[in-house]
Amino acid sequence: MIPFSILDLSQVVEGGTVEESFRNTALMAQTAEKAGYHRYWLAEHHGMPAVASSATAVLIGHVGQATSKIRIGSGGIMLPNHSPLVIAEQFGTLAALFPGRVDLGLGRAPGTDMRTARALRRDLEAGAHSFPNDILELQRLFGPGDDGQVMAMPGIGSGVPLWLLGSSLYSAHLAAALGLPYAFASHFAPDALMDAIAIYRERFQPSAQLDRPYVMAGVMGVVADTDEEARYHFTSAQLQFINLRRNARGYFPKPVASMDEHWTEAERYNVEHTLQYAIVGSPRTAERELEEFIRVTGIDELIISMPVADLDARLRSIELFAGLDTIVQKAA
């Protein structure tokens, strides 16, 4: 069976608070664990009122405390924002607190606007260019340690598994060269998905961590009892993407009855193209869409972002999506 996993941004909904978003994240993780999901990842973003997962390692610890067996980790840490040593210490700490459960997914983008990225106090150009070397440094810091070398404590000897995340062909080449598992952000960047998967599989070099290619792909997922209800809740994601395109920062929008008065024709086309792989509908509709996505991509694992403002509907979507595993087995 292809594993299902969850990607969470700890969204702050209009009218809500950061404290509520953190409580909701814990409830989502508990629901996902009970429903049989494989991983629960949080993503690093900065300067966005709707996203509260900026202190990603701290929030992963919160999820770890709320659960007992589901894998936890980052999807991802934006490595150019940080020193590899700091990340090794943070995730070495998490690995000691939650043995055998922690993943470190790594991205190359800043996860924010350039002004905020500069405020994170790293040389962004140098950080992006040094990304491959920083990954190698992380592998060393999580390894057994060398005399005379800088040591991550905690971190040394923890062997935290690394993942490469990406939305372009660059990360596919790098993940293949380093022999690391690869996660593609097709939930918001669909265009290069198939080329990236093909490059990664064709050029993969076995490593100490992984002996064969392993591909995860992301989708937005909203499953409800009816197609109409699912489409209604999905308008929150559509509104959020319009706001991002307009550079209108705000909290995660509540759903609306119709999108007609909220977007132009050009915006509608852009959003529908960007979110073309979203799985939205009743269980029957979602099964058809999911079967096609798995058939076309041949992925090894699916990670789902649940962009639903209402907490009860979001938890219901997590449960209903987990019930689609029969179609996953058939498609595989």
Side-chain angles (χ1 to χ4, degrees):
M1 189 179 83
I2 295 174
F4 288 177
S5 296
I6 294 287
L7 177 65
D8 185 16
L9 305 182
S10 201
Q11 292 159 329
V12 186
V13 178
E14 289 176 348
T17 66
V18 171
E19 291 83 358
E20 287 173 349
S21 75
F22 292 158
R23 288 196 296 270
N24 294 347
T25 282
L27 285 171
M28 285 176 63
Q30 291 167 344
T31 302
E33 181 173 75
K34 185 177 179 180
Y37 286 81
H38 187 49
R39 307 176 204 274
Y40 196 97
W41 280 4
L42 290 143
E44 177 188 349
H45 291 279
H46 299 276
M48 300 176 67
V51 178
S53 54
S54 54
T56 316
V58 178
L59 201 52
I60 292 169
H62 174 59
V63 170
Q65 284 294 116
T67 56
S68 61
K69 59 184 180 181
I70 193 170
R71 294 194 67 86
I72 54 177
S74 62
I77 291 293
M78 301 297 109
L79 193 53
N81 296 339
H82 309 282
S83 157
L85 176 60
V86 170
I87 298 304
E89 291 172 339
Q90 290 176 357
F91 278 76
T93 299
L94 289 169
L97 289 170
F98 311 106
R101 295 177 59 196
V102 176
D103 304 313
L104 174 51
L106 300 165
R108 190 169 65 107
T112 186
D113 61 273
M114 289 300 102
R115 182 174 62 179
T116 306
R118 285 191 292 271
L120 291 167
R121 303 180 188 277
R122 287 207 73 196
D123 184 329
L124 293 178
E125 184 175 352
H129 287 311
S130 66
F131 185 60
N133 289 331
D134 285 350
I135 293 169
L136 295 176
E137 177 67 3
L138 272 173
Q139 288 179 319
R140 187 194 68 77
L141 290 166
F142 287 135
D146 302 310
D147 291 340
Q149 296 278 346
V150 173
M151 180 177 67
M153 184 61 196
I156 185 171
S158 61
V160 173
L162 304 184
W163 284 70
L164 284 198
L165 282 54
S167 57
S168 69
L169 302 185
Y170 175 92
S171 54
H173 285 283
L174 186 58
L178 297 179
L180 295 175
Y182 179 50
F184 192 86
S186 40
H187 59 299
F188 69 83
D191 292 335
L193 172 63
M194 300 309 299
D195 287 341
I197 291 175
I199 287 170
Y200 171 69
R201 288 177 173 149
E202 290 168 4
R203 304 194 177 193
F204 181 84
Q205 299 295 314
S207 68
Q209 180 176 330
L210 194 64
D211 62 357
R212 64 183 64 185
Y214 192 94
V215 178
M216 175 195 286
V219 298
M220 296 279 185
V222 181
V223 184
D225 293 323
T226 66
D227 289 345
E228 292 74 18
E229 183 183 357
R231 288 194 293 265
Y232 168 72
H233 288 295
F234 190 58
T235 61
S236 292
Q238 294 170 323
L239 288 167
Q240 184 183 44
F241 271 83
I242 292 171
N243 291 339
L244 288 172
R245 297 294 189 272
R246 295 175 179 174
N247 198 28
R249 298 187 184 190
Y251 296 104
F252 189 69
K254 292 183 178 180
V256 294
S258 171
M259 287 295 298
D260 291 345
E261 63 187 62
H262 295 279
W263 56 15
T264 66
E265 185 63 18
E267 287 173 331
R268 181 191 66 79
Y269 175 83
N270 183 274
V271 170
E272 289 181 352
H273 175 78
T274 300
L275 304 180
Q276 64 185 270
Y277 291 128
I279 308 295
V280 180
S282 65
R284 178 173 294 183
T285 298
E287 282 184 349
R288 291 197 302 267
E289 295 176 352
L290 182 58
E291 181 179 21
E292 177 65 11
F293 185 76
I294 293 170
R295 184 190 67 79
V296 170
T297 60
I299 54 173
D300 302 292
E301 185 170 340
L302 183 76
I303 190 163
I304 308 118
S305 175
M306 298 279 182
V308 180
D310 180 82
L311 177 61
D312 290 338
R314 198 185 316 165
L315 298 179
R316 177 67 171 158
S317 182
I318 290 173
E319 293 170 345
L320 289 174
F321 209 108
L324 304 181
D325 60 0
T326 55
I327 201 69
V328 176
Q329 294 179 57
K330 185 167 69 175

